[in-house]
Amino acid sequence: EVQLVESGGGLVQAGGSLRLSCTASGFTHDDYTIGWFRQAPGKEREGVSCISFADGNTAYADSVKGRFTISSDNAKNTVYLQMNTLKPEDTAVYYCAAGRVAFDYLWLFPEDLYDDWGQGTQVTVSS
């Protein structure tokens, strides 16, 4: 069973930075893609970024391109989401998820292909 634990959320002023971590256990990471999703109050959950452990391929939502960077430390089974130049509209609960997602579908953030989810971490950006 795959288990995912997020950390690193918090309260930050607009323009500031945060780094989220997602530590995974219980899987052979070469087979998996780790995705970051977020859900703001009253809105649907949306994909933010993802990374394939097998080849390091990444994808980003247009709303975060140039501001967020995803990376992985395979030795630690941990994926990081560095979030810079944060905006109030980035306020949401951020979830990491694990699944097997083919390269052609990374940018679609297909939630039905992500089988395991973390509990989420709150990110609040004040204006």
Side-chain angles (χ1 to χ4, degrees), residues 10-14 18 38-43 46 67-68 83 86-94 121-127:
L11 173 64
V12 64
Q13 289 188 331
L18 283 173
R38 66 185 181 186
Q39 187 166 23
K43 295 187 176 181
E46 62 176 354
R67 300 189 299 122
F68 291 11
M83 306 186 296
L86 283 162
K87 305 175 181 180
E89 51 263 44
D90 294 317
T91 295
V93 177
Y94 283 70
T121 185
Q122 176 70 46
V123 171
T124 303
V125 184
S126 63
S127 57

Side-chain angles (χ1 to χ4, degrees), residues 9-127:
L11 173 64
V12 64
Q13 289 188 331
S17 298
L18 283 173
R19 189 178 78 160
L20 304 183
S21 299
C22 173
T23 299
S25 61
F27 73 110
T28 304
H29 55 67
D30 284 352
D31 299 326
Y32 277 80
T33 295
I34 300 294
W36 283 100
F37 295 79
R38 66 185 181 186
Q39 187 166 23
K43 295 187 176 181
E44 292 188 354
R45 189 163 58 191
E46 62 176 354
V48 175
S49 184
C50 62
I51 186 166
S52 169
F53 271 121
D55 50 24
N57 285 315
T58 61
Y60 295 91
D62 288 344
S63 59
V64 305
K65 281 181 182 176
R67 300 189 299 122
F68 291 11
T69 302
I70 193 168
S71 61
S72 67
D73 184 336
N74 287 14
K76 296 182 179 180
N77 279 355
T78 299
V79 170
Y80 303 100
L81 185 67
Q82 179 66 44
M83 306 186 296
N84 297 330
T85 319
L86 283 162
K87 305 175 181 180
E89 51 263 44
D90 294 317
T91 295
V93 177
Y94 283 70
Y95 301 89
C96 68
R100 294 182 174 91
V101 182
F103 170 76
D104 288 346
Y105 299 102
L106 288 178
W107 66 278
L108 292 172
F109 300 100
E111 291 192 24
D112 57 335
L113 296 185
Y114 288 90
D115 300 317
D116 299 282
W117 294 76
Q119 82 287 351
T121 185
Q122 176 70 46
V123 171
T124 303
V125 184
S126 63
S127 57

